[in-house]
Amino acid sequence: MPQKIIAGNWKMHGTKASVVELVSALRTGLEDSSSLAQVIVFAPTVFIPLLEAEFGNSDIAYGAQTVSEYNEGAYTGEIAASMLKDFECRYVLVGHSERRALFVATNEKVAEKFVQAQKYDLTPILCVGETLKQREANETLAIIEKQLKAVIDKAGIAAFRNAVIAYEPVWAIGTGETASPEQAQGVHAAIRAFLAGFDADVATNVSLLYGGSVKPDNATGLFAMVDIDGALVGGASLDAEKFIGIVNVI
């Protein structure tokens, strides 16, 4: 049975003061959340030591927003999976649409990052999704299957026993637009069916998250869908009250 997960992606936001304030509010508001869902926060890398200090003894997990596909070396500005593991990170985002679009993360490069994360016992949350142009051209499933197949070819289907998939329609990220529960469910069901073509047990048990302008007031409809196991939350994760509200919904 898939694990319920609520993950917050802070993107490139925050100061030391605001992070300490947000973390404090989350610890207080989510102290009884472990029975509801796994809560994860993805912070800018410079704030990960703060998360280690604050969440080290809590049920709230934390991770990084990307990871290098290389072990180590002359890769200025990159962060190795071993470094993230050294700070007790448990999760890492791989293939977020902003990384794909702005930083030329091809399907093949995303697959390499996925493998590198698992090499150091980090759980990758693989982000997949289509642009508005691709949706209007009825290419949604073809695009997502290519994104998944690149990882399957590189890591094998069994790798998804220790991974999470987040469907994030690019047209709904940070726009205020949200796929309807039925639209999201349709894609999630298609993802599960595609994976089942390789391994039915993996398909049944992998957690599928929805990401795209998730808020407390639309979370109820989304989480009522049978194949939506949680959310990858963007802007609302920077507001403790809203983020806690989403956790409470699930």
Side-chain angles (χ1 to χ4, degrees):
M1 183 175 181
Q3 182 182 32
K4 301 296 184 183
I5 298 171
I6 302 294
N9 177 16
W10 296 353
K11 306 193 180 185
M12 197 174 72
H13 294 288
T15 63
K16 285 176 68 176
S18 70
V19 167
V20 168
E21 181 180 0
L22 179 55
V23 164
S24 177
L26 293 179
R27 286 202 63 169
T28 300
L30 296 173
E31 59 185 355
D32 297 322
S33 68
S34 59
S35 63
L36 304 174
Q38 175 63 68
V39 178
I40 313 166
V41 292
F42 291 99
T45 307
V46 294
F47 295 131
I48 286 176
L50 279 175
L51 299 189
E52 181 186 32
E54 295 295 330
F55 290 146
N57 296 315
S58 81
D59 292 322
I60 301 172
Y62 57 91
Q65 298 171 5
T66 187
V67 66
S68 175
E69 62 269 39
Y70 303 109
N71 278 319
E72 61 180 359
Y75 304 107
T76 301
E78 289 291 278
I79 304 295
S82 59
M83 297 173 183
L84 298 177
K85 191 66 177 178
D86 210 23
F87 283 90
E88 303 297 332
C89 288
R90 290 166 51 193
Y91 295 86
V92 63
L93 295 179
V94 174
H96 189 281
S97 63
E98 292 159 1
R99 301 298 307 180
R100 292 179 187 268
L102 301 176
F103 301 98
V104 201
T106 63
N107 289 340
E108 291 71 27
K109 182 172 286 190
V110 169
E112 292 172 1
K113 291 174 182 287
F114 183 103
V115 169
Q116 191 69 8
Q118 289 193 331
K119 179 179 177 180
Y120 287 92
D121 296 322
L122 297 169
T123 298
I125 295 186
L126 174 66
C127 302
V128 299
E130 83 285 11
T131 64
L132 180 60
K133 182 178 179 180
Q134 290 164 340
R135 170 168 280 273
E136 290 176 340
N138 294 316
E139 296 176 344
T140 295
L141 299 185
I143 293 297
I144 290 172
E145 287 176 4
K146 285 181 181 179
Q147 293 168 338
L148 292 170
K149 186 63 162 48
V151 176
I152 293 170
D153 288 346
K154 186 75 174 179
I157 187 64
F160 283 95
R161 296 184 187 279
N162 298 302
V164 176
I165 297 171
Y167 166 55
E168 44 166 27
V170 180
W171 49 271
I173 297 173
T175 64
E177 297 292 329
T178 307
S180 70
E182 293 74 21
Q183 285 176 316
Q185 165 59 26
V187 176
H188 281 227
I191 290 172
R192 231 181 266 285
F194 179 75
L195 296 177
F198 297 89
D199 189 308
D201 184 64
V202 167
T204 297
N205 290 289
V206 67
S207 295
L208 302 182
L209 313 185
Y210 172 76
S213 298
V214 178
K215 302 176 180 65
D217 59 359
N218 61 31
T220 299
L222 289 166
F223 297 160
M225 299 293 104
V226 65
D227 288 307
I228 298 180
D229 305 309
L232 177 58
V233 184
S237 68
L238 295 167
D239 183 313
E241 183 177 357
K242 289 180 180 178
F243 189 63
I244 292 167
I246 294 169
V247 175
N248 287 339
V249 169
I250 205 166

